[in-house]
Amino acid sequence: MIKQWIKKKLAKNATTGEVRRAVNLSVGGTAAVSIIRKLVQAGYEAYLVGGAVRDLLLGVQPKDFDVVTNATPEQVKALFRRSRIVGRRFPIVHVPMGAETVEVSTFRSGQVRQNDAGRVVRDNAYGTMAQDAVRRDFTCNALYYDVIKGEMIDFHQGMVDIAARRLVMIGDVAERYCEDPVRILRAVRLSGKLGFEVAAETAAPIAAAVHLLAREPQSRLFDELLKILFCGYAEACLRQLAVLGVGDEVHPFLSVLQQGLEQDTVVAQALRGTDARVREGKTVSAGFVLAALLWARVRPLWQRNIGRGQSPAAAMGDAVLQIRGGFERDWGVPQRYSAVMREIWLMQPQFAHQRGGRPFRLLAQPRFRAAYDFLLIRAAAGEADAQTAEWWTRFQAANEAQRKQMTAAQPNTASGDAPAKKKRRRRRRKSATSANKALES
């Protein structure tokens, strides 16, 4: 009876290792499903693939869906009028549909061009689904779901590994890390996010292959670190680095994250807050989070400049100028994020001004809310005056008359970190004529 059930549920191809299983995944009326139906109606094969399929099996709602097909990028583009082909190394098609943009890739054969170090530099030789499965990184990401038949196609026991919560690399592990060293960071992210144990044979070559990451562009490494940061389990991922033998020398941003995690700093506060918001399905501003995480590089410069006699605002301006080029050029931080970071940092000294019209002008700034939230994080970490943060909380909730009363009664502070000391009024020196007259009288 059991043997008959297994025979019925699993149809295995002895040549490719292909296993097909009837599975009912809740994919709903997503844009990806509409794209798949249109491709199939046009005579092509098309499936859901990768992380979305994995997450659905784990009971997690995917953020996006990827589609794979035997249609070439040019054929896909011809079918979807507003689509566009992107990428040279791995050409794919971005297909916009409603508010979504779905990535559609073509089955690849695995016949790649590599450089002298063994890294894949071109992978656009098209092939079959079985060949495509071989070139994917982990078994849990090599699952293909046929939304028309409600059938899962598995070439590398990915469903078994997902059930066992195990992360397993496909193929020769050392060679796969050499082909693309960023897979090391992907192993860190997936194991930390999913709570998977990295299989011994998958983990073993990592420590020896970490140095290969130094050859990757900083911008690409930064993109992968952002995925770790916004996966909802950044703390768990960062702790996984030590387990897998990945040091913080991989990228300076990683060093900042690791150091901040060890102490109850603004970095730790930001990491916990970001993890909580992502898991609750709330929106997260990348610029805001990066401003908090990189604050450890800005604040010492700000304080040093103040110590040299600069005003808090001028001191912050100089500090931001000093680090701006390094973040954008050397760290690979996109300008769209660094611009938000700068605005948030430059507004921090302004919270010290609580008299006259300046609080009203600050409140009207487009980036006020983000800068205020950042002030709250600094206050919670003991790096900003709690009374200043509390005053701004009340100021926002007050009506116009109450705000005017608050600004009339509140003394200014010297910096964003502590209340200012009251300035001593200098006694006016009497002129010689006045002194003589006083003596004469």
Side-chain angles (χ1 to χ4, degrees):
M1 179 79 94
I2 294 175
K3 286 182 179 179
Q4 288 176 348
W5 182 86
I6 292 173
K7 217 171 189 180
K8 185 179 178 182
K9 289 290 181 184
L10 301 179
K12 186 168 183 176
N13 185 310
T15 306
T16 64
E18 175 186 335
V19 174
R20 291 178 179 260
R21 178 180 298 180
V23 176
N24 183 23
L25 294 183
S26 179
V27 293
T30 62
V33 172
S34 299
I35 290 168
I36 287 172
R37 291 188 185 281
K38 189 167 182 177
L39 283 163
V40 172
Q41 286 169 5
Y44 301 110
E45 295 178 58
Y47 308 89
L48 285 181
V49 69
V53 178
R54 176 201 69 219
D55 288 349
L56 287 168
L57 287 170
L58 290 168
V60 177
Q61 183 59 35
K63 288 183 178 178
D64 47 44
F65 293 85
D66 292 335
V67 172
V68 68
T69 177
N70 64 343
T72 65
E74 292 74 20
Q75 289 169 331
V76 174
K77 189 176 186 303
L79 200 57
F80 298 95
R81 185 168 51 85
R82 294 170 54 222
S83 63
R84 60 193 180 94
I85 300 173
V86 299
R88 292 181 181 178
R89 184 175 158 215
F90 304 107
I92 60 173
V93 184
H94 281 175
V95 180
M97 187 164 288
E100 298 181 61
T101 297
V102 178
E103 285 190 0
V104 179
S105 59
T106 303
F107 294 140
R108 287 180 169 80
S109 68
Q111 295 175 6
V112 299
R113 186 188 300 171
Q114 295 172 298
N115 61 18
D116 294 339
R119 191 187 187 289
V120 174
V121 293
R122 187 167 289 275
D123 180 15
N124 56 2
Y126 307 128
T128 65
M129 179 164 49
Q131 290 173 323
D132 189 76
V134 171
R135 57 165 287 281
R136 293 191 176 267
D137 48 14
F138 303 102
T139 60
C140 63
N141 290 336
L143 295 168
Y144 301 77
Y145 185 61
D146 187 332
V147 300
I148 310 295
K149 297 179 181 178
E151 189 175 62
M152 188 70 71
I153 306 165
D154 183 359
F155 294 90
H156 300 284
Q157 295 188 315
M159 293 188 73
V160 174
D161 290 332
I162 288 174
R165 304 191 77 83
R166 182 172 56 230
L167 192 67
V168 180
M169 180 74 79
I170 296 169
D172 185 303
V173 182
E175 186 178 315
R176 300 309 302 279
Y177 288 135
C178 189
E179 287 174 355
D180 186 0
V182 171
R183 286 177 178 144
I184 295 170
L185 296 179
R186 208 166 294 150
V188 169
R189 173 166 55 87
L190 290 176
S191 59
K193 174 186 175 181
L194 304 175
F196 279 21
E197 180 184 357
V198 182
E201 62 274 18
T202 300
I206 288 180
V210 165
H211 73 280
L212 297 174
L213 286 167
R215 303 173 185 172
E216 294 298 305
Q218 291 288 61
S219 57
R220 185 165 186 246
L221 295 178
F222 189 80
D223 285 344
E224 196 63 36
L225 291 172
L226 282 188
K227 291 178 183 177
I228 289 175
L229 183 59
F230 297 118
C231 74
Y233 297 86
E235 278 201 84
C237 292
L238 291 172
R239 300 194 191 285
Q240 197 59 7
L241 289 166
V243 174
L244 295 176
V246 181
D248 58 13
E249 71 279 358
V250 168
H251 192 283
F253 182 48
L254 193 55
S255 177
V256 169
L257 295 178
Q258 290 283 54
Q259 290 170 11
L261 194 61
E262 294 168 4
Q263 306 161 15
D264 193 19
T265 61
V266 168
V267 173
Q269 296 268 355
L271 283 173
R272 290 171 196 143
T274 302
D275 279 352
R277 288 186 67 85
V278 172
R279 290 201 292 267
E280 290 167 10
K282 296 179 179 177
T283 58
V284 178
S285 164
F288 173 83
V289 175
L290 290 172
L293 297 179
L294 298 174
W295 176 243
R297 293 296 178 98
V298 180
R299 186 172 183 267
L301 295 175
W302 181 34
Q303 295 301 300
R304 186 193 67 186
N305 291 343
I306 290 174
R308 290 175 174 175
Q310 288 185 293
S311 70
M316 179 62 79
D318 281 355
V320 171
L321 278 175
Q322 283 178 266
I323 53 85
R324 176 182 174 178
F327 285 158
E328 293 179 2
R329 182 184 61 252
D330 302 330
W331 289 35
V333 179
Q335 194 172 7
R336 65 183 182 277
Y337 297 149
S338 64
V340 176
M341 291 156 49
R342 291 196 303 273
E343 288 184 61
I344 290 173
W345 291 333
L346 290 170
M347 288 176 72
Q348 294 309 298
Q350 306 305 321
F351 286 112
H353 301 291
Q354 297 158 15
R355 285 182 63 84
R358 296 180 78 167
F360 293 92
R361 291 194 293 273
L362 187 61
L363 189 62
Q365 294 293 320
R367 205 71 68 184
F368 170 81
R369 183 68 200 191
Y372 163 74
D373 287 342
F374 185 55
L375 173 68
L376 294 184
I377 290 179
R378 291 176 54 221
E383 292 187 16
D385 179 39
Q387 290 182 352
T388 299
E390 193 272 335
W391 187 91
W392 280 98
T393 302
R394 287 189 293 109
F395 185 72
Q396 292 175 80
N399 59 36
E400 194 72 11
Q402 290 169 331
R403 287 175 180 174
K404 287 180 179 178
Q405 189 177 16
M406 289 175 68
T407 56
Q410 183 69 19
N412 275 326
T413 53
S415 75
D417 283 358
K421 293 181 181 179
K422 249 185 174 181
K423 286 187 177 180
R424 292 180 62 184
R425 294 186 64 182
R426 295 179 63 183
R427 293 181 63 183
R428 189 175 176 183
R429 294 183 64 182
K430 292 180 180 180
S431 65
T433 306
S434 300
N436 290 334
K437 285 182 179 178
L439 286 171
E440 288 171 2
S441 62

